[in-house]
Amino acid sequence: MNKNFKSILVVNFGGVGDLVISIPFLRGLKESFEGCRVSLLCVARNGDILKRQPYIDDFYMTEMSVTEMMRTCLKLRKKRFDIAINLMPHTSFFAAIKVQLLLLLINAKLCAGRNTEGRGFFYDIKIEEKGMQAENEILICKKLFFAIGGSSFDDMLEYCVPSDIFGKARTLIEDECGTIKYPLIAVNPGADWPSKRWPIEKYADLLCRLTNKVPSARFIIIGTKKEMMIANELKQKVGDAVCIFSGKTNLEMLPAVIKNVDLLITNDSGPSHIARAVGTPVVTLSGPSYSAFLTYKVSSESIVINHPVPCSPCLKKTCDDMICWDAISVEEVFEKTISIIERMGNHGHNR
């Protein structure tokens, strides 16, 4: 396999978490292919999460409309990339055909990707993938990395938070919450899909138990502006210990806010991956996802609470039964959270 790639395009139309998980792969490209120029193509609404990471030379973002994607691809076509690598799996043949057409427009000399259940037949270089979310994503990326001729890369999930953004986040927390006390806990009760959300009533119960056990605990509710209703409900049920940040942090600021806190409690979503990447201890609640899918090499404590049920893993956006979430009790999450707080003593991970 040609190891002299000088211009590499990485295509990742996944969410915020998918982009964060791709960091070891991007870092590996720069280390393994000496002198290469690495470009990233991603969805506009998520791209800011990686804008200041040192492993990307050129950044391209597109809206998902047909017109905008064609315009972007034709722009990229002029670059004549040595290879275009799609990091995401194919959830259907229709989705696979769309990616195939996109890569044809870009017209790189080679294209590589995941042959998810036979749907990636069009790649010049491909790795086999028999099922969705059945394996650690970074390990899948490593298989693809080997397939294109790269040497091994470090699996460590690391996100570089610029010092100026870290300072702005600390100031924002102090302005919104007052004097920072220990423990300062970020809580992410939302997720893009309703099926990936632990019930809000359970979150409220958990926070009330934590304030009773540790009266000094303060909670920052993170999320999008659309999730403000959830944050307000928690504030109403838990009281003054809750500070609402939903909709107040953009994707550039969010990792810095998470790095400033002592612990994150979250559903399986982007903030879970961000916390592990910036070195903040995290308790991740995972209902429909497969536990191996969420296991990465990180520098801080990471606990995944997941109880497999007969219908998991699944990719449903909504679910009437939600038996996977019923299996996760407030008591279990409370005990896991308290155990981390006690191991940190009377100081946070970043104090």
Side-chain angles (χ1 to χ4, degrees):
M1 179 58 60
N2 179 13
K3 293 188 178 183
N4 297 316
F5 297 132
K6 294 301 181 184
S7 58
I8 300 174
L9 175 66
V10 177
V11 180
N12 190 335
F13 286 144
V16 170
D18 298 303
L19 289 170
V20 172
I21 292 169
S22 73
I23 288 176
F25 182 87
L26 295 167
R27 184 177 63 223
L29 290 176
K30 295 295 291 183
E31 294 171 351
S32 189
F33 297 96
E34 186 176 355
C36 73
R37 193 164 188 86
V38 176
S39 301
L40 176 68
L41 172 61
C42 61
V43 181
R45 67 177 180 271
N46 300 324
D48 283 349
I49 195 69
L50 293 187
K51 259 196 168 178
R52 294 183 65 176
Q53 297 306 293
Y55 318 113
I56 305 168
D57 297 300
D58 298 301
F59 222 96
Y60 300 96
M61 295 191 289
T62 180
E63 301 295 340
M64 294 304 285
S65 69
V66 174
T67 302
E68 285 302 314
M69 290 188 69
M70 288 186 64
R71 183 180 291 117
T72 302
C73 289
L74 290 174
K75 178 181 179 181
L76 293 172
R77 186 183 184 91
K78 298 176 183 178
K79 304 292 182 180
R80 288 294 291 153
F81 291 101
D82 290 329
I83 188 169
I85 308 166
N86 178 38
L87 290 186
M88 295 303 293
H90 299 298
T91 57
S92 67
F93 272 106
F94 179 68
I97 294 301
K98 288 196 294 185
V99 172
Q100 182 185 22
L101 294 175
L102 177 149
L103 293 174
L104 285 172
L105 280 176
I106 293 172
N107 196 31
K109 296 175 185 177
L110 291 171
C111 62
R114 296 155 64 165
N115 190 23
T116 313
E117 298 176 354
R119 301 176 191 126
F121 58 90
F122 51 88
Y123 291 117
D124 299 305
I125 304 168
K126 51 184 169 286
I127 59 169
E128 299 303 317
E129 184 176 24
K130 294 182 179 180
M132 297 285 293
Q133 292 195 348
E135 193 174 357
N136 180 309
E137 280 289 300
I138 294 179
L139 294 182
I140 292 175
C141 286
K142 182 167 281 191
K143 291 179 183 179
L144 189 54
F145 193 78
F146 290 150
I148 66 172
S151 57
S152 182
F153 62 74
D154 186 356
D155 296 351
M156 179 66 73
L157 191 61
E158 290 180 319
Y159 183 97
C160 301
V161 176
S163 58
D164 59 322
I165 302 299
F166 181 82
K168 288 179 181 178
R170 175 58 63 98
T171 300
L172 176 63
I173 291 171
E174 292 174 345
D175 289 345
E176 295 287 335
C177 305
T179 303
I180 300 177
K181 298 181 179 181
Y182 173 81
L184 182 62
I185 302 173
V187 181
N188 175 47
D192 287 342
W193 296 355
S195 64
K196 299 186 78 172
R197 299 173 189 163
W198 198 45
I200 193 64
E201 296 80 12
K202 290 190 174 184
Y203 267 109
D205 187 0
L206 172 67
L207 299 195
C208 288
R209 293 191 191 199
L210 289 172
T211 54
N212 288 334
K213 179 71 174 181
V214 187
S216 62
R218 295 295 179 266
F219 306 98
I220 292 175
I221 310 303
I222 60 175
T224 65
K225 189 176 293 186
K226 292 180 181 178
E227 294 165 343
M228 184 69 77
M229 185 180 298
I230 298 175
N232 286 333
E233 185 175 346
L234 283 177
K235 175 80 172 177
Q236 184 179 14
K237 292 182 177 181
V238 180
D240 293 338
V242 167
C243 185
I244 297 175
F245 271 49
S246 302
K248 296 180 181 179
T249 55
N250 57 26
L251 284 180
E252 186 178 37
M253 181 69 74
L254 181 60
V257 168
I258 293 175
K259 188 173 178 64
N260 265 287
V261 303
D262 300 310
L263 172 67
L264 171 69
I265 305 171
T266 176
N267 297 323
D268 167 26
S269 59
S272 170
H273 306 300
I274 292 172
R276 284 178 280 181
V278 301
T280 294
V282 57
V283 176
T284 301
L285 312 181
S286 172
S289 299
Y290 187 60
S291 57
F293 179 68
L294 300 167
T295 306
Y296 308 114
K297 180 182 175 184
V298 295
S299 61
S300 59
E301 188 163 5
S302 174
I303 294 176
V304 176
I305 301 178
N306 170 261
H307 299 294
V309 294
C311 53
S312 68
C314 82
L315 297 174
K316 292 181 179 178
K317 293 186 177 181
T318 60
C319 178
D320 294 330
D321 295 326
M322 302 294 280
I323 59 173
C324 56
W325 284 122
D326 291 339
I328 299 178
S329 69
V330 174
E331 183 65 27
E332 179 182 14
V333 182
F334 172 76
E335 290 177 356
K336 298 287 188 183
T337 302
I338 287 297
S339 69
I340 292 181
I341 293 172
E342 290 176 344
R343 282 193 289 275
M344 285 192 289
N346 60 358
H347 54 85
H349 83 102
N350 208 26
R351 309 276 176 104

